[in-house]
PDB file of all heavy atoms in Angstrom:
ATOM      1  N   ARG A  55     -16.237 -37.511  -0.980  1.00 94.00           N
ATOM      2  CA  ARG A  55     -15.202 -37.261  -1.996  1.00 94.00           C
ATOM      3  C   ARG A  55     -15.751 -37.180  -3.421  1.00 94.00           C
ATOM      4  O   ARG A  55     -15.383 -36.327  -4.253  1.00 94.00           O
ATOM      5  CB  ARG A  55     -14.117 -38.376  -2.007  1.00 94.00           C
ATOM      6  CG  ARG A  55     -13.450 -38.582  -0.709  1.00 94.00           C
ATOM      7  CD  ARG A  55     -12.347 -37.527  -0.514  1.00 94.00           C
ATOM      8  NE  ARG A  55     -11.706 -37.777   0.790  1.00 94.00           N
ATOM      9  CZ  ARG A  55     -10.622 -38.501   0.993  1.00 94.00           C
ATOM     10  NH1 ARG A  55     -10.033 -39.046  -0.076  1.00 94.00           N
ATOM     11  NH2 ARG A  55     -10.127 -38.717   2.163  1.00 94.00           N
ATOM     12  N   PHE A  56     -16.707 -38.033  -3.683  1.00 95.00           N
ATOM     13  CA  PHE A  56     -17.346 -38.101  -4.979  1.00 95.00           C
ATOM     14  C   PHE A  56     -18.171 -36.779  -5.215  1.00 95.00           C
ATOM     15  O   PHE A  56     -18.129 -36.182  -6.288  1.00 95.00           O
ATOM     16  CB  PHE A  56     -18.260 -39.291  -5.077  1.00 95.00           C
ATOM     17  CG  PHE A  56     -18.758 -39.604  -6.479  1.00 95.00           C
ATOM     18  CD1 PHE A  56     -17.947 -40.238  -7.392  1.00 95.00           C
ATOM     19  CD2 PHE A  56     -20.034 -39.226  -6.880  1.00 95.00           C
ATOM     20  CE1 PHE A  56     -18.402 -40.519  -8.698  1.00 95.00           C
ATOM     21  CE2 PHE A  56     -20.486 -39.513  -8.186  1.00 95.00           C
ATOM     22  CZ  PHE A  56     -19.684 -40.157  -9.062  1.00 95.00           C
ATOM     23  N   MET A  57     -18.918 -36.359  -4.139  1.00 96.00           N
ATOM     24  CA  MET A  57     -19.655 -35.103  -4.215  1.00 96.00           C
ATOM     25  C   MET A  57     -18.691 -33.978  -4.553  1.00 96.00           C
ATOM     26  O   MET A  57     -18.980 -33.157  -5.446  1.00 96.00           O
ATOM     27  CB  MET A  57     -20.322 -34.858  -2.869  1.00 96.00           C
ATOM     28  CG  MET A  57     -21.576 -35.555  -2.568  1.00 96.00           C
ATOM     29  SD  MET A  57     -22.910 -34.981  -3.681  1.00 96.00           S
ATOM     30  CE  MET A  57     -23.202 -33.289  -3.016  1.00 96.00           C
ATOM     31  N   GLN A  58     -17.597 -33.904  -3.799  1.00 95.00           N
ATOM     32  CA  GLN A  58     -16.731 -32.759  -3.950  1.00 95.00           C
ATOM     33  C   GLN A  58     -15.914 -32.752  -5.278  1.00 95.00           C
ATOM     34  O   GLN A  58     -15.597 -31.695  -5.787  1.00 95.00           O
ATOM     35  CB  GLN A  58     -15.699 -32.709  -2.744  1.00 95.00           C
ATOM     36  CG  GLN A  58     -16.266 -32.193  -1.517  1.00 95.00           C
ATOM     37  CD  GLN A  58     -15.445 -32.561  -0.292  1.00 95.00           C
ATOM     38  OE1 GLN A  58     -14.183 -32.593  -0.352  1.00 95.00           O
ATOM     39  NE2 GLN A  58     -16.091 -32.794   0.862  1.00 95.00           N
ATOM     40  N   GLY A  59     -15.513 -33.958  -5.685  1.00 95.00           N
ATOM     41  CA  GLY A  59     -14.668 -34.048  -6.822  1.00 95.00           C
ATOM     42  C   GLY A  59     -15.351 -34.264  -8.167  1.00 95.00           C
ATOM     43  O   GLY A  59     -14.810 -33.925  -9.206  1.00 95.00           O
ATOM     44  N   VAL A  60     -16.564 -34.774  -8.170  1.00 96.00           N
ATOM     45  CA  VAL A  60     -17.297 -35.099  -9.373  1.00 96.00           C
ATOM     46  C   VAL A  60     -18.563 -34.261  -9.512  1.00 96.00           C
ATOM     47  O   VAL A  60     -18.703 -33.523 -10.521  1.00 96.00           O
ATOM     48  CB  VAL A  60     -17.635 -36.598  -9.471  1.00 96.00           C
ATOM     49  CG1 VAL A  60     -18.451 -36.919 -10.717  1.00 96.00           C
ATOM     50  CG2 VAL A  60     -16.421 -37.478  -9.383  1.00 96.00           C
ATOM     51  N   ILE A  61     -19.427 -34.307  -8.551  1.00 97.00           N
ATOM     52  CA  ILE A  61     -20.722 -33.729  -8.690  1.00 97.00           C
ATOM     53  C   ILE A  61     -20.714 -32.205  -8.586  1.00 97.00           C
ATOM     54  O   ILE A  61     -21.169 -31.501  -9.435  1.00 97.00           O
ATOM     55  CB  ILE A  61     -21.754 -34.316  -7.685  1.00 97.00           C
ATOM     56  CG1 ILE A  61     -21.861 -35.807  -7.958  1.00 97.00           C
ATOM     57  CG2 ILE A  61     -23.145 -33.654  -7.861  1.00 97.00           C
ATOM     58  CD1 ILE A  61     -22.822 -36.597  -6.998  1.00 97.00           C
ATOM     59  N   ARG A  62     -20.098 -31.725  -7.501  1.00 97.00           N
ATOM     60  CA  ARG A  62     -20.162 -30.242  -7.316  1.00 97.00           C
ATOM     61  C   ARG A  62     -19.465 -29.471  -8.462  1.00 97.00           C
ATOM     62  O   ARG A  62     -20.130 -28.558  -8.979  1.00 97.00           O
ATOM     63  CB  ARG A  62     -19.583 -29.853  -5.920  1.00 97.00           C
ATOM     64  CG  ARG A  62     -20.682 -29.594  -4.990  1.00 97.00           C
ATOM     65  CD  ARG A  62     -20.231 -29.198  -3.604  1.00 97.00           C
ATOM     66  NE  ARG A  62     -20.938 -29.988  -2.617  1.00 97.00           N
ATOM     67  CZ  ARG A  62     -20.529 -30.270  -1.412  1.00 97.00           C
ATOM     68  NH1 ARG A  62     -19.308 -29.912  -0.946  1.00 97.00           N
ATOM     69  NH2 ARG A  62     -21.243 -31.017  -0.618  1.00 97.00           N
ATOM     70  N   PRO A  63     -18.253 -29.784  -8.833  1.00 97.00           N
ATOM     71  CA  PRO A  63     -17.669 -29.046 -10.032  1.00 97.00           C
ATOM     72  C   PRO A  63     -18.511 -29.231 -11.290  1.00 97.00           C
ATOM     73  O   PRO A  63     -18.635 -28.378 -12.062  1.00 97.00           O
ATOM     74  CB  PRO A  63     -16.280 -29.611 -10.185  1.00 97.00           C
ATOM     75  CG  PRO A  63     -16.177 -30.782  -9.202  1.00 97.00           C
ATOM     76  CD  PRO A  63     -17.344 -30.761  -8.291  1.00 97.00           C
ATOM     77  N   GLY A  64     -19.188 -30.419 -11.430  1.00 97.00           N
ATOM     78  CA  GLY A  64     -20.020 -30.625 -12.599  1.00 97.00           C
ATOM     79  C   GLY A  64     -21.223 -29.709 -12.568  1.00 97.00           C
ATOM     80  O   GLY A  64     -21.644 -29.189 -13.620  1.00 97.00           O
ATOM     81  N   LEU A  65     -21.821 -29.418 -11.433  1.00 96.00           N
ATOM     82  CA  LEU A  65     -22.926 -28.541 -11.317  1.00 96.00           C
ATOM     83  C   LEU A  65     -22.638 -27.117 -11.646  1.00 96.00           C
ATOM     84  O   LEU A  65     -23.550 -26.299 -11.905  1.00 96.00           O
ATOM     85  CB  LEU A  65     -23.654 -28.705  -9.924  1.00 96.00           C
ATOM     86  CG  LEU A  65     -24.224 -30.050  -9.623  1.00 96.00           C
ATOM     87  CD1 LEU A  65     -24.833 -30.054  -8.216  1.00 96.00           C
ATOM     88  CD2 LEU A  65     -25.268 -30.496 -10.640  1.00 96.00           C
ATOM     89  N   LYS A  66     -21.339 -26.755 -11.612  1.00 97.00           N
ATOM     90  CA  LYS A  66     -20.970 -25.407 -11.996  1.00 97.00           C
ATOM     91  C   LYS A  66     -21.093 -25.153 -13.494  1.00 97.00           C
ATOM     92  O   LYS A  66     -21.159 -23.969 -13.930  1.00 97.00           O
ATOM     93  CB  LYS A  66     -19.549 -25.122 -11.475  1.00 97.00           C
ATOM     94  CG  LYS A  66     -19.484 -24.921  -9.994  1.00 97.00           C
ATOM     95  CD  LYS A  66     -18.101 -24.588  -9.545  1.00 97.00           C
ATOM     96  CE  LYS A  66     -18.062 -24.594  -7.974  1.00 97.00           C
ATOM     97  NZ  LYS A  66     -16.693 -24.824  -7.543  1.00 97.00           N
ATOM     98  N   ALA A  67     -21.092 -26.254 -14.309  1.00 98.00           N
ATOM     99  CA  ALA A  67     -21.227 -26.047 -15.730  1.00 98.00           C
ATOM    100  C   ALA A  67     -22.628 -25.682 -16.047  1.00 98.00           C
ATOM    101  O   ALA A  67     -23.573 -26.008 -15.308  1.00 98.00           O
ATOM    102  CB  ALA A  67     -20.850 -27.389 -16.399  1.00 98.00           C
ATOM    103  N   PRO A  68     -22.866 -24.975 -17.153  1.00 98.00           N
ATOM    104  CA  PRO A  68     -24.224 -24.566 -17.501  1.00 98.00           C
ATOM    105  C   PRO A  68     -25.182 -25.770 -17.686  1.00 98.00           C
ATOM    106  O   PRO A  68     -24.757 -26.827 -18.146  1.00 98.00           O
ATOM    107  CB  PRO A  68     -24.057 -23.844 -18.823  1.00 98.00           C
ATOM    108  CG  PRO A  68     -22.583 -23.460 -18.940  1.00 98.00           C
ATOM    109  CD  PRO A  68     -21.873 -24.521 -18.132  1.00 98.00           C
TER     110      PRO A  68
END
Side-chain angles (χ1 to χ4, degrees):
Chain A
R55 302 281 179 93
F56 192 81
M57 278 292 292
Q58 282 164 34
V60 177
I61 300 179
R62 260 179 227 156
L65 294 180
K66 285 182 188 155

